[in-house]
Amino acid sequence: ADLKTVISSSMTPYNGRIITVMVCNFGQSELLMNFVCHAKSKGFDMSSVLVFATDQETADLAKSLGLAAYYDKYNFGDVPIEAAKEYGDRRFQAMMIAKVLCVQLISLLGYDLLFQDVDILWYQHPLKDYFAKPGHWSKKYDVIFQHDGARSSRYTPYSANSGFYFVRNNRRTRSLVDTLLTSSATIFQDKSHQQALITILSEHVSLYGLTVKVVNRDEDDLPGGFNWNKKKEYMKQVFNGEMVPVIFHMSWTLNKDNKIKYFQQMGTWFVEDKCIAKKKSEINETSEN
């Protein structure tokens, strides 16, 4: 089915206008499964989530998990099926291009969107309890990002994390995502989707008045790898329930294996070993046996 049909028949955009966008290949599918299982354990509505699968195996898995999924063989057929071995390698870069394309497609259709990586956990519903909450401060901005935590020169001036951000559909943001797509060669040059995006953010703020907010890394709402590695007391509060962030993003990791180990240490890993690196049909066979 085409993308419009998937949206109209398989999902329900939040408030009729917001789509939560995720991109996944088969090599990262365990992280997708873990996200879904964790969200279901909290009772969250995921009807606004749309998974852009870069292979048929992931599309089948996503649908079996109750998510809407879209697989475009023409655009995604050459994306590697395996997980990246490390940050910035060629598999990683190919997935970054897929992330750019899916955001541009949803923008073209006129929807607001929340983009998130698959290594994210919801502790609150990021739309109902945050971005789309009545009177929320984020309504003043065109795009809102999680802070990466790193303040290295290549991420200046914003230090925005490209794995969790909200885009309000308007003329300025459509121009932003169009420019990112047409400048996607810089992702291969820089080996970073994030670095390319931050450069374009700066240009569009200056040229077109784009309004950008990056949530301070020292605030409690949107923690990630920075908190995991640098703010031990904060993480202890999350573990024992004293602190309830909106999401947690397992960034600042070398690869998928590290992410799984860290989620296990957090007590938030829900995927059984027998389901890892297995297609939907293989998981069904295992369950039957």
Side-chain angles (χ1 to χ4, degrees), residues 25 27-28 82-89 91-92 254-256:
N25 69 353
Q28 298 282 342
E82 303 89 359
K85 292 183 178 179
E86 61 183 11
Y87 179 91
D89 70 12
R91 295 174 185 173
F92 180 90
L254 178 65
N255 53 34
K256 179 185 70 175

Side-chain angles (χ1 to χ4, degrees), residues 33-246:
M33 288 190 281
N34 192 62
F35 160 73
V36 173
C37 292
H38 182 268
K40 286 185 175 180
S41 76
K42 301 288 186 181
F44 291 133
D45 177 14
M46 291 184 290
S47 61
S48 67
V49 176
L50 174 59
V51 177
F52 281 78
T54 61
D55 48 72
Q56 189 61 54
E57 291 83 358
T58 304
D60 293 340
L61 270 174
K63 292 175 184 176
S64 72
L65 293 167
L67 301 178
Y70 176 69
Y71 171 51
D72 178 359
K73 187 176 181 179
Y74 178 80
N75 282 305
F76 297 142
D78 292 331
V79 175
I81 195 170
E82 303 89 359
K85 292 183 178 179
E86 61 183 11
Y87 179 91
D89 70 12
R90 295 297 289 183
R91 295 174 185 173
F92 180 90
Q93 294 171 41
M95 288 301 295
M96 296 306 103
I97 298 299
K99 291 181 180 183
V100 172
L101 180 58
C102 72
V103 167
Q104 200 263 354
L105 290 173
I106 295 300
S107 177
L108 277 176
L109 293 177
Y111 292 97
D112 295 350
L113 66 95
L114 170 63
F115 178 86
Q116 68 164 61
D117 284 343
V118 291
D119 58 346
I120 280 177
L121 304 175
W122 288 359
Y123 286 87
Q124 301 180 55
H125 196 290
L127 299 179
K128 180 176 72 71
D129 299 320
Y130 201 67
F131 293 114
K133 186 177 180 179
H136 195 257
W137 58 261
S138 63
K139 295 185 184 299
K140 298 186 295 184
Y141 298 95
D142 295 325
V143 287
I144 305 99
F145 290 84
Q146 178 190 38
H147 197 291
D148 180 76
R151 288 175 172 164
S152 52
S153 59
R154 70 178 185 144
Y155 292 154
T156 56
Y158 292 108
S159 296
N161 189 292
S162 59
F164 186 82
Y165 61 93
F166 185 87
V167 180
R168 206 172 303 284
N169 196 293
N170 57 40
R171 176 180 52 82
R172 294 180 297 276
T173 58
R174 288 192 295 273
S175 177
L176 172 71
V177 298
D178 286 350
T179 302
L180 184 59
L181 180 64
T182 57
S183 304
S184 56
T186 59
I187 295 174
F188 291 108
Q189 177 66 33
D190 299 334
K191 298 183 179 180
S192 171
H193 173 218
Q194 195 157 292
Q195 185 174 342
L197 176 57
I198 290 172
T199 299
I200 294 170
L201 280 176
S202 299
E203 293 176 353
H204 281 247
V205 167
S206 177
L207 291 172
Y208 307 118
L210 181 77
T211 55
V212 178
K213 173 67 176 178
V214 179
V215 178
N216 192 299
R217 69 180 188 178
D218 294 319
E219 294 184 15
D220 298 329
D221 294 336
L222 308 178
F226 167 75
N227 304 75
W228 175 265
N229 287 278
K230 302 290 187 179
K231 299 183 72 174
K232 303 299 183 183
E233 292 304 314
Y234 173 87
M235 291 308 303
K236 288 179 182 178
Q237 290 180 303
V238 173
F239 294 158
N240 63 29
E242 294 177 19
M243 181 66 66
V244 183
V246 179

Side-chain angles (χ1 to χ4, degrees), residues 247-258:
I247 59 101
F248 179 82
H249 183 188
M250 191 58 80
S251 53
W252 281 31
T253 51
L254 178 65
N255 53 34
K256 179 185 70 175
D257 292 339
N258 287 156

Side-chain angles (χ1 to χ4, degrees), residues 271-276 278 282-283 286-287:
V271 182
E272 296 182 17
D273 289 347
K274 65 182 181 181
C275 298
I276 292 179
K278 295 293 192 297
E282 294 171 327
I283 292 174
T286 301
S287 300

